[in-house]
Amino acid sequence: MLQVVKTTAELRELVRRVKKEGRTIGLVPTMGALHEGHASLIAAARAENDFVIVSDFVNPTQFGPTEDLDAYPRTFDADCRLAEAQGADVLFCPTPAEMYPSAEDTWVEVTGNITKVLCGRTRPIHFRGVATVVTKLFHLAQPDRAYFGQKDAQQVEVLRRMVKDLFFPLEIREMPIVREADGLAKSSRNVYLKPAERQAALVLSQSLFAAQRAFAAGERRTDVLVGQVRQQIEAEPMAEIDYVEAHALPELTAPHAVLDVPHLLAVAVRFGTTRLIDNVILDPRTR
Ligand code: AMP
């Protein structure tokens, strides 16, 4: 049975009991509006841990002042059903006041290139908000493993750095991107898309898959692959590009001219007022 927990005190008490019994904990941080992408993370957590905590919290500090905090979809009842169906033990859904109890803030900030490029450039306070709320969740839930999606690949690298630098005793597990049948990456924000925008948005996965095929066929010039994706997206009239870039993994350093180490090839593109992200990893060791 899924237990809905709203306060940090209640969560800490539950976690204390689970730990005392020597059981392992898997944590899946989400902002709710759960879909099959989230479901895959919860299923992985269920398979690998004794106790599964899903957090459902639209974190205000990772939204910029002009972003979609108020409009962000909230589907609490459906979230409970999905989390329960995937075998979660706890759905933790605190209020903002519960998660940010002080009038002033304490921040966790991962510095360097890793938070300045890609989404960090257009969303300057985003990763500080993410690192801070995930730190709070790690302290509250004390997971052995925490589950994140490659959909937000930069976020995963930022959190890996944070876990390493702050000595969090846990493992970050990165799960593949779950897509619609036609290739569009599942996202809570897809509901914002008008039908014509939804159709136009297919250019993201199509252009990234084309680059992936070219890479598999032996193309190793980074500028050629990035240029190919950019050109294909620019040909779609409804698409307004934020970025189309490749960066070397894991620190998202400047791309190599030749793809001799794993790179993240990532895009962020607006369709109307909706900003979508997608990516593929180009790894010369496996592809
Ligand atoms: P969000 O609720 O959008 O903050 O996402 C919560 C977690 O689910 C993050 O780790 C995301 O990367 C992951 N996620 C979101 N969409 C997908 C997807 N389509 N496939 C896999 N994981 C996803």
Side-chain angles (χ1 to χ4, degrees):
M1 256 297 272
L2 181 78
Q3 200 172 334
V4 174
V5 172
K6 294 191 169 153
T7 67
T8 56
E10 208 184 332
L11 184 64
R12 295 189 103 134
E13 178 52 27
L14 255 172
V15 166
R16 198 186 59 75
R17 269 189 268 144
V18 172
K19 288 270 168 194
K20 205 168 157 205
E21 291 162 3
R23 300 165 77 199
T24 57
I25 297 178
L27 171 69
V28 184
T30 83
M31 296 208 300
L34 301 183
H35 50 66
E36 288 89 340
H38 301 111
S40 73
L41 306 188
I42 302 171
R46 178 72 282 163
E48 297 174 357
N49 302 276
D50 299 322
F51 196 80
V52 175
I53 301 172
V54 178
S55 66
D56 186 330
F57 177 61
V58 182
N59 175 36
T61 65
Q62 69 190 66
F63 288 78
T66 61
E67 293 181 359
D68 58 341
L69 173 62
D70 293 336
Y72 198 83
R74 286 157 170 92
T75 59
F76 181 69
D77 292 341
D79 290 354
C80 289
R81 289 195 293 275
L82 184 144
E84 177 146 47
Q86 295 303 324
D89 295 293
V90 166
L91 190 70
F92 177 53
C93 46
T95 61
E98 189 73 22
M99 287 302 276
Y100 293 94
S102 303
E104 299 289 341
D105 292 314
T106 298
W107 297 114
V108 178
E109 191 158 3
V110 176
T111 59
N113 208 50
I114 200 166
T115 49
K116 291 200 179 68
V117 296
L118 302 176
C119 290
R121 205 174 47 229
T122 33
R123 307 185 72 189
I125 61 159
H126 176 69
F127 288 113
R128 183 186 72 173
V130 169
T132 301
V133 80
V134 171
T135 294
K136 289 171 188 257
L137 291 169
F138 283 175
H139 285 311
L140 292 167
Q142 297 182 42
D144 297 272
R145 298 175 194 84
Y147 295 79
F148 298 91
Q150 186 200 315
K151 166 82 189 334
D152 299 274
Q154 184 175 17
Q155 169 174 283
V156 179
E157 298 307 332
V158 168
L159 294 175
R160 280 205 179 104
R161 249 279 298 288
M162 182 185 88
V163 161
K164 177 177 149 212
D165 291 351
L166 298 183
F167 306 107
F168 279 104
L170 59 89
E171 184 190 346
I172 297 263
R173 301 276 290 122
E174 182 176 7
M175 296 294 134
I177 301 175
V178 176
R179 298 178 179 279
E180 303 288 353
D182 61 9
L184 181 69
K186 288 190 186 262
S187 164
S188 306
R189 290 189 167 98
N190 289 350
V191 297
Y192 299 152
L193 295 168
K194 300 195 176 87
E197 294 165 349
R198 167 72 182 74
Q199 189 59 29
L202 290 179
V203 73
L204 303 188
S205 55
Q206 284 168 356
S207 61
L208 289 167
F209 292 166
Q212 208 169 32
R213 284 195 299 274
F215 181 76
E219 180 59 75
R220 290 293 182 269
R221 290 167 297 175
T222 308
D223 58 347
V224 170
L225 291 165
V226 172
Q228 179 185 320
V229 175
R230 175 175 286 279
Q231 220 173 34
Q232 206 171 329
I233 297 175
E234 276 173 354
E236 167 49 60
M238 298 189 92
E240 192 193 318
I241 293 176
D242 179 353
Y243 61 72
V244 176
E245 288 173 29
H247 290 272
L249 288 165
E251 282 285 326
L252 304 183
T253 41
H256 299 192
V258 172
L259 289 165
D260 53 354
V261 298
H263 277 61
L264 176 69
L265 175 49
V267 302
V269 177
R270 270 176 214 287
F271 295 87
T273 55
T274 307
R275 182 176 175 280
L276 299 180
I277 58 172
D278 200 350
N279 69 78
V280 290
I281 291 170
L282 303 176
D283 185 346
R285 296 166 313 185
T286 58
R287 276 163 242 211

